[in-house]
Amino acid sequence: MNIIMLGAPGAGKGTFSAFLEERYSLPHIATGDIFRENIKNNTELGQKAKSYMDQGLLVPDELVVSLVADRLSKDDCKAGFILDGFPRTLVQAEALKETLADMGAQIDYALDFECPDDFIIERMAGRRVCKGCGASYHLVNVPPKQEGICDVCGGELYQREDDAPETVAKRLEVYHKETQPLIDYYEKEGVLKCVDGTIGRDNVFKVLAEMLG
Ligand code: ADP
Ligand code: ZN
């Protein structure tokens, strides 16, 4: 099962991907996580990506397309994958289609998690992420058992630089301009499934389980 996660920044793609990863034993490939990992390790890719990310802008297509193609060629993607945060532009969507065609594969589901902007803005203000494993929490909606500490690995929780309110506004603007057109694109491809992203985490899990079996 090959799945793409669509939706605005902060719509919950990371949380829902983790659920699907566990349920269907598929690798969860999150381009934002890959970039953050590269920044942490101060790689060349990380250095190139950082300034775009801190400003709430997209990293240029050429940096991300080859990275994803490379990742999808790995053995663990043969039985399927969850792509979270990619594609984010029409150029990326077309490149993905070609990469998959070369592998004799195609997208089965493009899941769009729908959330209004004001909902996103409020959610991002409370989002906290683990420095150790990248797990995502919310001060009010998904609090960790112990304040400031990751339930999964005991790591320290922090607020991402790009979750600052001004940057969130910029990311939403970029989302509407660059990424929202993909909803039409995947509708035309016949693989789009829309999910209300505002109904709470566990309700979304139920909807996903019913939808995907
Ligand atoms: P969110 O979904 O909450 O916006 P991500 O972790 O997916 O966060 O992405 C964080 C940042 O990483 C993006 O704002 C962008 O700068 C960069 N990024 C991630 N994926 C892509 C992509 N496919 N194309 C371009 N930039 C990307
Ligand atoms: Zn952790």
Side-chain angles (χ1 to χ4, degrees):
M1 191 156 54
N2 300 337
I3 303 174
I4 299 179
M5 308 295 274
L6 295 174
K13 299 186 296 291
T15 304
F16 306 143
S17 297
F19 169 76
L20 297 175
E21 175 182 26
E22 165 91 25
R23 185 176 170 90
Y24 301 106
S25 304
L26 297 172
H28 171 203
I29 303 166
T31 44
D33 288 350
I34 295 174
F35 287 132
R36 276 185 292 279
E37 188 65 27
N38 275 274
I39 290 172
K40 198 162 100 184
N41 297 328
N42 201 24
T43 66
E44 200 184 324
L45 178 67
Q47 287 169 6
K48 283 185 187 155
K50 186 173 185 340
S51 62
Y52 296 101
M53 290 174 72
D54 285 349
Q55 293 174 71
L57 302 174
L58 294 183
V59 173
D61 289 329
E62 57 274 20
L63 286 185
V64 64
V65 162
S66 55
L67 178 136
V68 171
D70 194 56
R71 181 66 187 82
L72 292 177
S73 72
K74 300 278 185 314
D75 274 351
D76 67 336
C77 293
K78 288 221 165 73
F81 53 79
I82 303 157
L83 265 180
D84 166 11
F86 182 95
R88 256 180 159 94
T89 64
L90 284 168
V91 170
Q92 293 177 16
E94 286 291 350
L96 175 63
K97 193 176 175 177
E98 260 179 52
T99 302
L100 291 176
D102 288 346
M103 298 163 54
Q106 77 286 312
I107 294 301
D108 299 306
Y109 297 103
L111 305 175
D112 180 38
F113 298 93
E114 302 176 315
C115 290
D117 282 9
D118 51 356
F119 181 92
I120 298 278
I121 289 166
E122 195 175 308
R123 178 182 271 178
M124 303 284 248
R127 175 152 80 172
R128 296 294 180 274
V129 179
C130 173
K131 271 191 182 160
C133 71
S136 189
Y137 298 86
H138 188 279
L139 294 182
V140 182
N141 306 332
V142 193
K145 293 198 180 81
Q146 207 184 330
E147 199 189 312
I149 310 258
C150 177
D151 293 350
V152 181
C153 78
E156 187 189 333
L157 304 185
Y158 76 110
Q159 180 170 39
R160 274 167 43 180
E161 236 164 276
D162 60 348
D163 281 348
E166 322 76 70
T167 317
V168 169
K170 183 70 201 171
R171 287 162 70 200
L172 280 170
E173 187 190 319
V174 171
Y175 167 75
H176 289 300
K177 184 160 170 278
E178 304 282 351
T179 310
Q180 214 168 12
L182 297 183
I183 297 171
D184 277 347
Y185 177 90
Y186 286 110
E187 168 135 62
K188 289 198 185 98
E189 298 274 308
V191 293
L192 183 72
K193 298 263 185 203
C194 295
V195 181
D196 183 346
T198 68
I199 58 178
R201 185 181 65 163
D202 293 341
N203 290 320
V204 172
F205 290 172
K206 270 191 215 137
V207 170
L208 288 174
E210 275 165 27
M211 200 176 260
L212 306 181

